[in-house]
């Protein structure tokens, strides 16, 4: 219906997008567990490497170096398993979301009027089903995962920095609002650019579809 397609409410759009995640809550929970452990273990690496340097150059303790090396290998293995758990489940959920959205769009298109197909070319609709749905998958899985991972890493890093040198940490925190503002400005530009790119992809798909469909005339 026209009144449903023209609703400009942004929170409503986000709410509708997150609905596609609800059938895969368990997979998302596993991915979240992997993300948390992967982020926390990534913070351990600098501390372990510092102990390696201290044991070699300061204490010259070969036994301590061996123990730290074993610990470093263990941390690396556990982090790799956590990363695999995160990436595998996010990829699974992402592909399922793509299938669900494409099926829903395809079924919805079957019930639209002839006038709709007169106003919208077939190549554009195909592009929306294929390319645009892939962008939604990236937003719902990849981007949100990256946001959570970077947030956890930031919180852990700030906590460690406070322990090491709170004065330097306070100086860095003062600069954070500037970085956030730059990020918002850049993000706004990227959203507009992404919309233009998707429209151009749809236009290119239309040209290719019309050429191949009427190849005898061409």
């Amino acid at each position: 219906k026209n009144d449903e397609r023209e609703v400009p409410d942004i929170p409503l759009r986000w709410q509708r997008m997150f609905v596609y995640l609800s059938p895969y809550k368990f997979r998302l929970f596993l991915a979240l567990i992997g993300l948390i452990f992967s982020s926390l273990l990534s913070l351990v690496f600098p501390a372990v490497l510092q102990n390696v340097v201290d044991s070699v150059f300061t204490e010259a303790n070969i036994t301590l170096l061996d123990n730290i090396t074993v610990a470093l290998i263990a941390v690396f293995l556990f982090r790799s398993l956590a990363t695999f758990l995160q990436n595998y489940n996010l990829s699974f959920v992402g592909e399922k979301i793509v299938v669900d959205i494409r099926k829903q769009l395809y079924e919805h298109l079957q019930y639209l009027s002839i006038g709709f197909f007169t106003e919208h070319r077939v190549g554009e609709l195909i592009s929306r089903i294929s390319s645009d749905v892939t962008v939604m998958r990236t937003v719902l899985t990849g981007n949100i995962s990256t946001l959570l991972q970077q947030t956890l890493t930031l919180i852990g890093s700030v906590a460690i920095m406070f322990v090491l040198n709170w004065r330097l940490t306070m100086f860095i925190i003062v600069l954070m609002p500037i970085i956030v503002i730059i990020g918002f400005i850049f993000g706004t530009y990227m959203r507009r650019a992404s919309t233009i790119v998707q429209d151009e992809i749809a236009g290119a798909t239309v040209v290719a579809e019309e050429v191949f469909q009427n190849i005898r005339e061409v």
Side-chain angles (χ1 to χ4, degrees):
K1 298 179 181 179
N2 292 332
D3 56 345
E4 292 179 352
R5 291 199 304 269
E6 295 174 357
V7 175
D9 189 79
I10 294 178
L12 177 60
R13 289 208 297 259
W14 275 102
Q15 183 180 1
R16 292 176 61 183
M17 289 177 65
F18 282 117
V19 167
Y20 294 103
L21 295 174
S22 58
Y24 312 105
K25 293 179 181 178
F26 179 71
R27 290 278 186 174
L28 289 173
F29 174 75
L30 293 178
L32 180 62
I33 295 298
L35 184 148
I36 293 174
F37 277 97
S38 176
S39 301
L40 294 179
L41 291 174
S42 65
L43 298 173
V44 176
F45 273 105
V48 176
L49 292 177
Q50 180 184 359
N51 290 329
V52 171
V53 174
D54 292 342
S55 64
V56 173
F57 294 101
T58 304
E59 302 179 13
N61 191 335
I62 301 302
T63 302
L64 180 60
L65 176 62
D66 293 338
N67 295 333
I68 294 175
T69 302
V70 172
L72 186 63
I73 294 174
V75 170
F76 175 77
L77 291 177
F78 280 111
R79 183 174 181 271
S80 299
L81 290 175
T83 303
F84 172 78
L85 181 67
Q86 170 194 343
N87 292 338
Y88 177 79
N89 286 284
L90 282 179
S91 298
F92 179 90
V93 173
E95 295 303 324
K96 287 291 186 179
I97 289 174
V98 167
V99 173
D100 293 342
I101 297 177
R102 284 177 177 166
K103 287 174 62 178
Q104 184 176 355
L105 281 175
Y106 182 77
E107 293 173 0
H108 177 69
L109 289 172
Q110 308 301 312
Y111 295 94
L112 296 179
S113 64
I114 298 298
F116 175 85
F117 291 96
T118 303
E119 297 175 359
H120 298 81
R121 291 176 290 185
V122 175
E124 180 184 356
L125 299 178
I126 294 175
S127 177
R128 301 305 182 189
I129 292 177
S130 59
S131 177
D132 291 18
V133 171
T134 303
V135 173
M136 289 182 63
R137 172 198 187 277
T138 303
V139 171
L140 289 174
T141 57
N143 291 355
I144 294 178
S145 170
T146 302
L147 175 63
L148 292 176
Q149 188 170 30
Q150 296 302 323
T151 301
L152 291 174
T153 303
L154 175 63
I155 295 174
S157 300
V158 171
I160 293 174
M161 290 171 60
F162 262 112
V163 174
L164 297 177
N165 191 328
W166 67 270
R167 293 183 178 86
L168 180 60
T169 304
M170 292 299 298
F171 174 75
I172 295 175
I173 291 178
V174 170
L175 300 178
M176 287 183 62
I178 301 176
I179 300 175
V180 172
I181 293 174
I182 294 174
F184 273 112
I185 296 174
F186 185 72
T188 302
Y189 170 78
M190 288 300 296
R191 285 194 297 271
R192 295 174 181 173
S194 177
T195 301
I196 295 174
V197 168
Q198 293 306 117
D199 290 339
E200 292 296 329
I201 291 175
T205 306
V206 167
V207 174
E209 185 271 336
E210 290 180 345
V211 169
F212 295 145
Q213 191 176 41
N214 302 282
I215 193 65
R216 289 182 180 276
E217 288 77 5
V218 173

